[in-house]
Amino acid sequence: MANRSHLYTCDDIPPKDGFYARGLSECNREIPLVHKVMMANAPRVVRSAIWARDIGIVAERPGAFERTLAFFSRLGEGELAERDRFDAEAAKMRAFLDATPPTKYLLLEAGEIFSAMGGDLALRARQLVGEIVDLAPRVERAIAGVEEPWLAQLRANGQKAARPGWWSEVLYYSFEPPEGAAEST
């Protein structure tokens, strides 16, 4: 198992017959900050679309892309050790998100990460929702320019924390659109 965090966009909440989610991003070995920032609109635990457990996390999508792009734009205003890499990833993220059709929800599937951490997977999912809820106002303050010490700390640890990441429709776990349905999400 590769232990990935998977981020999707969708119009339904699993489990639903014919559930379809369009891939957005995945990250190996961790749940990156960018996935957590993206999930800040009313996150809650739901049935996973991948695992037969209540360990998926869904959030409202409206405003999520804009908040994430604003946060990483603010982060990019400071000194970064790997400026070229950050700028290239940020540009790819912006282009990918700009081309993503609108949907109602975002779905974070982090069961592989929870499994690698050990313990109760459902508890891990609930803890992550709590972490995201606590992170949301800090991100808003950072966008407003009030969290410069935190942003400086993230910039100093850029390769671990402050990366816009990798964006693609095709993730390790990809969902097929229901037969006869046009792929709109």
Side-chain angles (χ1 to χ4, degrees), residues 4-7 25-39 72 108 110 113 128 131-132 135 160-167:
R4 296 176 185 93
S5 173
H6 302 88
L7 185 63
S25 175
E26 70 182 21
C27 182
N28 292 332
R29 297 178 295 283
E30 68 177 323
I31 304 164
L33 179 62
V34 68
H35 287 188
K36 295 172 187 175
V37 171
M38 189 72 72
M39 297 298 294
F72 278 89
L108 179 62
I113 304 295
L128 180 57
E131 181 183 340
I132 292 167
L135 177 67
K160 178 95 172 120
R163 296 198 44 216
W166 181 80
W167 299 85

Side-chain angles (χ1 to χ4, degrees), residues 9 15 28 38 40 45-46 49 69 73 79 86 92 102 113 122-123 144 149 160 168:
T9 185
N28 292 332
M38 189 72 72
V45 175
V46 297
L69 292 169
S73 177
E79 187 174 325
F86 179 91
K92 286 179 184 177
I113 304 295
L123 175 61
K160 178 95 172 120
S168 174

Side-chain angles (χ1 to χ4, degrees), residues 5 7 9 12 15 29 32 36-37 39-40 45 55 66 82 107 131 137-138 140-141 149 170 175 183:
S5 173
L7 185 63
T9 185
D12 297 304
R29 297 178 295 283
K36 295 172 187 175
V37 171
M39 297 298 294
V45 175
I55 60 171
E66 296 80 4
E82 293 195 27
L107 175 66
E131 181 183 340
R138 192 170 202 190
E140 293 300 327
R141 290 191 307 271
V170 181
F175 299 91
E183 183 181 333

Side-chain angles (χ1 to χ4, degrees), residues 70-84:
F71 177 74
F72 278 89
S73 177
R74 177 67 75 178
L75 193 59
E77 291 174 2
E79 187 174 325
L80 292 160
E82 293 195 27
R83 165 64 60 193
D84 293 341

